[in-house]
Every structure is written in C-alpha cells, then in structure tokens.
Amino acid sequence: MSCTESYISVQNCAICNGKNILVSPFSWEFKIGQVWLVTGPNGGGKDFFVQALKNQNATFGQVYFEKQREQSSYFNSFGNSISLVSLEVAASLIEEERQNDESDYIEGGVDIGRTAEQFISEVLPPNYCFNLKGSREVELCGIKSVLNRGLKYLSTGEIRRVLLCRSLLSKSRLLILSDPFAGLDLESRTILRDFLSVMAKEPSKDTAIILCMEGLIELPEGITDVLEFTDGKVSFCSSIAEYAKTHQQRQKNNEKNKLQQKEKISQTVKEIHFERQLITNTQQKNHSKTQISQNSQELVSMHNVNVGWGGHTVLKNLTWRLYAGQHWLIRGPNGSGKTTLLELITGDNMQVFCNDVSIFGRRRGTGETVWEIKEKMGIVSYRLHLEYRMIGNTDLEAVLLSGFHDSIGLYEQRSQVEQAAVKKWLSFGGFSGREHEPFNSLSYGEQRAILILRGVVKCPTLLVLDEPCHGLDENYRNRILQLLESIADTGSTTLLHVTHDPTEVLSCEKHILELRPKEDPMYKIITQ
C-alpha cells in the first residue's frame, strides 16, 4: 500500500519524548475508507499515540514518532489539519482561561474571559459572514444556550460540546475524539453517537475520524478496525470483528476474577480503615482545633437555596438534607447545577454565604473556616483535577499525603505513619514504586485514579464525588466502583455521587436528587 492510498503510515517507529521511548516500535497504517478505534488501559500508550499524531512539528520534550532503523518511515497526509477533542484538551483550556483571568484589574471584579461563541469563532476565517447560532454544528452539539457564557462558567459536559463544535467548524481533515461521551448527559450522548455513526459509515476523503474509547462501550456503528496499546506496546491491531471476539473472551475471564477481586478490595479497605481510625483517634487526643458538631448526624442541610449569575438561574428554591449513612446520587442534564450544588457543600462557591446552608450541623457564615469543613470531607472533582495540573510537579506520594491535610500540594512534613498508609493505597491502585513520579507525567486517567485515592485516604465522614470515573479505563473503573461500595460498607463514610453514566450508579445509592432545569420545581427527590 503506497502512501498515496493511505492517510497515515507508521513503519517500525517508536513513540518518544526526546529522553525516553514511551511506546515500543510498531507498524500501523490508516487507509482511506477505514475508521479506527484506538483503545487500551490507562497509561498503556494510547494517549502518547494521540499526542504524537497531533505533534507534526514536535519540539524537545513533546511526544513524537521516531524512526528506529533504516527501513523505518512515517507519513501523515493530514499535516497540521488535525483537531483533538479530549478531557486533556478541555482541562488545558480551562487552565488557560484561569491564567488569563483579569478580575482583579477590572471594574466590578468579574472577568468572564472568552465566551463560547468567541472561542468557536477563532477557527473561522477573518471577516467570514456566518450565522453561528443558526449553524447545524451548534444545533448538533446543543450549545446555542451557552454561546454567550464564559468558558470557565460552563460545566464539564458543556465544555466538551463546545470543543466538539469548534472542531467541526475548523474543517480539520482529521478529527480525533478521545473519550467523546465523558461528561455528556444521556440526550447529548445519543445525539453524538448517532452523528458519529453517520460519519463512520460514510467516510469522506476530505475528513477522517479516529475514536479513542474504552473497549466497546457505547461504540458508534461503522468502526472498521482497532488499535490497542498496553504497557507501552501495541497489543492488538486488526479488524473490529476480531477485536470483539478477543474482548468477549477477556470479559469472561474478568467475570471469573470479579468476585475474588471484590473480596480482596473489601478486605484491603477494612484493614486501611481500621489503621486510619487509630491514626485519627491519636490525632484528636493531641489536637486542639475546634470540632464542628454533628447534631442528629445531619451532614448537609439546604433550605430555599438560590444560585445564579448573569441572569442565569442554576438552583432555585432547593430544599434538601443529607444524613449520615444515606448515600445519594445527584443526576441531571449538563448545566443543571450538579457541580454548583457540590461546590456549595465543599466551600468552593461563595454564594453559599447568602443562602441557608448548614454543613455538619453548623450554618455556613457563622465563624467556621473552610478548613474545618473540608477536614471531614474527601473530594474528587474536575476543579480539584485542574488545581493539581497547575502544580503538576508534585509527586504522587505528596498528592495522597495532601488528602490528610486538605491542601492543594503538600506543605507539611511527611510523617512516617501517613506515608505508610499512602504506600498501601498506592499499591492498591497499581502505583507501587511510582510514589516519586510527578503528577503531570501521568495520563489523564491515571491522574484521576490518583485523585480518587487522595479523596479516600483519610476515610472521610463525607466523600464528594463529581464524575469520579472520567478518563478511567474499563477495568480500573470497575475496580474504583468496587472500592466505593466497600467504603460505603464501612458505615463511617457517606457518599455524595454525581454521574451521567447509569453503569456507574452504586447499589448503595438509594437516594436520588434529580435536577430538572426546565421544570418547576427545578428538582425532584427520589427514594428507592
């Protein structure tokens, strides 16, 4: 097959970053008419592969394809006409908006930054007359209502849809979609899946797509071939039909190991929880901090809560209570206020002070500090993920240790007792021997796994989970869900869980708070 009959040809090339070989030498060809699924476990190499495709003019430290012998070759007909939509790109975009925030220097103290419309319009030709709001791409991505809002005020799902719309309008010849359904509500997932199925079944010479997803979950129709990376090597490269057979056999093997794994996880959690309780009891004896009361074990109370900005109402007249031992699922469409609700609880939304909100039996704004609030919480969220990416040189041990002190980064001495606990959690998570690797050297999915371990490290009274499984591969997702079930079983930690994915709902979550932005009232409480 000549290069003129192919989009991309990789022959005996490794993927490197100027210092190390990240993926062993392999050969792969993307032929015209094919639609590829790129998959594999977190840290297996698929993220490096995508970065190398995108970096046509790589500089030192970036990831690129490197020829390994005289017969090696690399050809990419797309040049720089490649657009990538991923959790990584979304996170980088929000980081950029935060770094450019000039709220401290403008009258009124609010810099909304670029709006979604301004961001999308950047890829359109100068002086191009185009009705963005009425475009098919905006309608497809369902973002007409958020075009005038600042990017940093959008939900995770809304950001992903804006990125997709921008990529479609950029007219890039190669569209790479990594975890395209992560953070999207059910309606958006259905629309996107149908759209991708049409694109896949009717491939164009002008525009090609590569999907990076976990296994065969929610796979659109029309995929022809699969490229899988595991442990820095190509572990599968063939047709989708052959991969389906391989995947089915793996599923059977995994089912056999699930019960054994669940029992092992449960036992591990019990052991770590017991040791943590001993540490906590010792600390409390020597600790003079004012303790927040937990009268009647009411962890959270909200009465007629209203939150909004710029004329946009997010929460309206919300009255809701969370008691210890009641594990809650929070659900609703993108932009319905799920993350806002959690940030009222964690202290990351200042509108909590103009509302009737009590945390751990004490009303916010009556003299308590945010540290007293977070002392009893474990948190996994997109906001936290962004904060850690901005100080990405922190090593993995320090990230988990910071969970004991509720800080972004570690500013305390590393105690031997806490280090011993962290070592067990890292081992449990498959990170043994990697405690001194920097956080930003990990793939997005591995980073999320580390933050989940950080959230549970101190066995908190309340564990706040905002889409915790973003970016996790299928096996790790199952492991984390089993971990959360085991933590709930200890009886000392209450879960508050946001997810769009029905397969991630835990059996212990018998209470549901459903946010309904287009209805009155804008929420519904369901008890199963």
Side-chain angles (χ1 to χ4, degrees):
M1 177 68 67
S2 67
C3 290
T4 57
E5 297 174 290
S6 300
Y7 286 129
I8 302 173
S9 176
V10 178
Q11 299 297 325
N12 296 315
C13 291
I15 298 177
C16 307
N17 63 356
K19 297 179 181 178
N20 304 304
I21 292 179
L22 306 174
V23 176
S24 299
F26 67 98
S27 296
W28 171 72
E29 198 151 21
F30 185 2
K31 302 173 185 177
I32 294 173
Q34 291 179 321
V35 180
W36 282 85
L37 166 68
V38 179
T39 189
N42 295 137
K46 69 177 183 295
D47 291 333
F48 294 135
F49 173 74
V50 169
Q51 290 175 47
L53 286 181
K54 190 78 170 65
N55 295 335
Q56 294 299 297
N57 301 302
T59 57
F60 185 80
Q62 288 187 319
V63 176
Y64 61 94
F65 290 103
E66 183 177 85
K67 300 173 185 177
Q68 294 296 294
R69 53 180 73 98
E70 288 185 7
Q71 296 80 8
S72 299
S73 64
Y74 174 62
F75 166 78
N76 189 334
S77 68
F78 297 109
N80 291 318
S81 187
I82 300 175
S83 185
L84 171 62
V85 179
S86 67
L87 291 165
E88 182 79 29
V89 171
S92 297
L93 174 60
I94 298 304
E95 285 177 47
E96 182 182 342
E97 288 300 298
R98 287 189 174 191
Q99 289 171 351
N100 294 331
D101 191 322
E102 297 185 348
S103 295
D104 293 339
Y105 309 106
I106 63 176
E107 186 177 351
V110 178
D111 175 17
I112 69 169
R114 285 177 293 179
T115 65
E117 183 171 12
Q118 290 170 332
F119 176 66
I120 293 170
S121 297
E122 290 173 357
V123 300
L124 300 177
N127 303 317
Y128 181 58
C129 185
F130 180 73
N131 178 17
L132 183 61
K133 290 185 178 180
S135 71
R136 173 177 172 270
E137 289 82 1
V138 165
E139 182 179 353
L140 167 69
C141 298
I143 60 169
K144 187 175 181 179
S145 63
V146 306
L147 287 175
N148 294 326
R149 285 165 56 192
L151 292 173
K152 57 193 170 192
Y153 297 110
L154 301 183
S155 70
T156 309
E158 289 169 336
I159 282 283
R160 299 295 306 286
R161 288 187 285 164
V162 166
L163 282 169
L164 176 60
C165 183
R166 175 179 158 120
S167 293
L168 293 174
L169 286 168
S170 72
K171 304 303 180 185
S172 296
R173 294 184 55 236
L174 175 60
L175 183 59
I176 304 175
L177 302 179
S178 181
D179 292 319
F181 301 109
L184 298 186
D185 56 40
L186 182 59
E187 182 181 1
S188 299
R189 292 159 94 107
T190 302
I191 293 172
L192 179 57
R193 191 183 303 109
D194 291 344
F195 169 74
L196 293 177
S197 295
V198 171
M199 284 191 71
K201 287 189 288 187
E202 300 176 4
S204 164
K205 283 191 176 182
D206 298 323
T207 305
I209 59 172
I210 293 177
L211 292 183
C212 297
M213 295 174 57
E214 305 305 330
L216 302 177
I217 298 174
E218 294 189 302
L219 196 65
E221 298 176 16
I223 303 297
T224 61
D225 298 270
V226 179
L227 178 64
E228 180 187 73
F229 293 91
T230 305
D231 296 329
K233 298 177 182 178
V234 171
S235 51
F236 186 92
C237 185
S238 189
S239 69
I240 182 69
E242 287 300 315
Y243 186 75
K245 295 177 185 177
T246 301
H247 188 263
Q248 186 177 26
Q249 186 58 50
R250 289 176 182 172
Q251 290 291 85
K252 289 181 180 179
N253 295 337
N254 289 339
E255 286 299 323
K256 294 178 182 178
N257 298 327
K258 260 188 179 181
L259 182 59
Q260 183 179 359
Q261 184 186 57
K262 185 175 182 179
E263 291 174 351
K264 184 177 180 180
I265 289 174
S266 180
Q267 184 59 37
T268 301
V269 169
K270 287 178 182 177
E271 291 174 1
I272 296 177
H273 181 264
F274 177 73
E275 292 174 5
R276 179 57 195 156
Q277 288 298 102
L278 292 178
I279 295 173
T280 301
N281 292 339
T282 300
Q283 287 177 337
Q284 287 179 347
K285 288 179 182 178
N286 303 314
H287 205 350
S288 60
K289 266 189 180 179
T290 302
Q291 300 297 314
I292 299 177
S293 66
Q294 296 188 42
N295 297 331
S296 304
Q297 294 298 300
E298 184 181 83
L299 305 185
V300 179
S301 173
M302 296 186 178
H303 183 69
N304 285 336
V305 166
N306 291 275
V307 178
W309 52 80
H312 175 65
T313 300
V314 181
L315 299 175
K316 181 180 178 182
N317 298 331
L318 173 66
T319 296
W320 170 71
R321 287 180 174 81
L322 167 65
Y323 291 91
Q326 290 184 347
H327 307 294
W328 281 77
L329 170 69
I330 313 295
R331 69 187 185 195
N334 293 140
S336 61
K338 300 181 298 298
T339 296
T340 298
L341 174 72
L342 297 188
E343 290 183 345
L344 290 174
I345 296 169
T346 60
D348 294 313
N349 189 310
M350 293 301 101
Q351 292 194 46
V352 68
F353 296 113
C354 57
N355 279 286
D356 185 354
V357 178
S358 295
I359 311 294
F360 303 126
R362 184 166 178 177
R363 180 163 177 170
R364 291 304 315 272
T366 57
E368 81 295 345
T369 70
V370 71
W371 307 115
E372 289 175 300
I373 294 295
K374 291 189 174 181
E375 186 178 39
K376 291 180 170 58
M377 290 184 193
I379 301 169
V380 181
S381 68
Y382 190 56
R383 174 191 283 265
L384 181 73
H385 200 151
L386 291 177
E387 297 288 354
Y388 262 100
R389 285 170 56 86
M390 294 180 76
I391 55 165
N393 289 328
T394 305
D395 65 43
L396 303 189
E397 181 183 71
V399 173
L400 263 67
L401 286 171
S402 71
F404 288 114
H405 307 285
D406 313 302
S407 58
I408 306 298
L410 184 64
Y411 308 98
E412 308 282 343
Q413 291 293 325
R414 303 190 186 207
S415 77
Q416 291 184 347
V417 175
E418 290 177 349
Q419 281 180 305
V422 163
K423 187 175 182 179
K424 289 186 177 182
W425 279 116
L426 287 172
S427 176
F428 169 83
F431 294 94
S432 291
R434 302 177 63 183
E435 59 269 18
H436 297 304
E437 289 186 21
F439 182 76
N440 272 3
S441 70
L442 273 57
S443 69
Y444 189 96
E446 289 178 307
Q447 290 176 359
R448 182 53 63 103
I450 285 293
L451 292 178
I452 291 172
L453 298 178
R454 176 192 181 276
V456 303
V457 70
K458 64 180 179 182
C459 303
T461 300
L462 178 61
L463 183 56
V464 179
L465 305 161
D466 192 356
E467 297 277 12
C469 294
H470 266 185
L472 298 185
D473 62 52
E474 188 175 356
N475 289 332
Y476 213 105
R477 181 186 293 111
N478 291 334
R479 190 172 187 177
I480 289 300
L481 294 176
Q482 289 175 350
L483 167 65
L484 296 177
E485 287 277 16
S486 296
I487 288 174
D489 287 344
T490 64
S492 61
T493 296
T494 299
L495 307 185
L496 188 55
H497 183 199
V498 166
T499 182
H500 287 291
D501 191 338
T503 66
E504 294 175 5
V505 177
L506 305 173
S507 61
C508 63
E509 293 167 353
K510 306 298 185 184
H511 304 270
I512 301 171
L513 176 59
E514 187 169 273
L515 301 182
R516 301 178 171 186
K518 296 181 180 179
E519 299 181 19
D520 189 13
M522 294 174 64
Y523 69 95
K524 183 177 182 180
I525 293 175
I526 304 168
T527 301
Q528 298 178 332

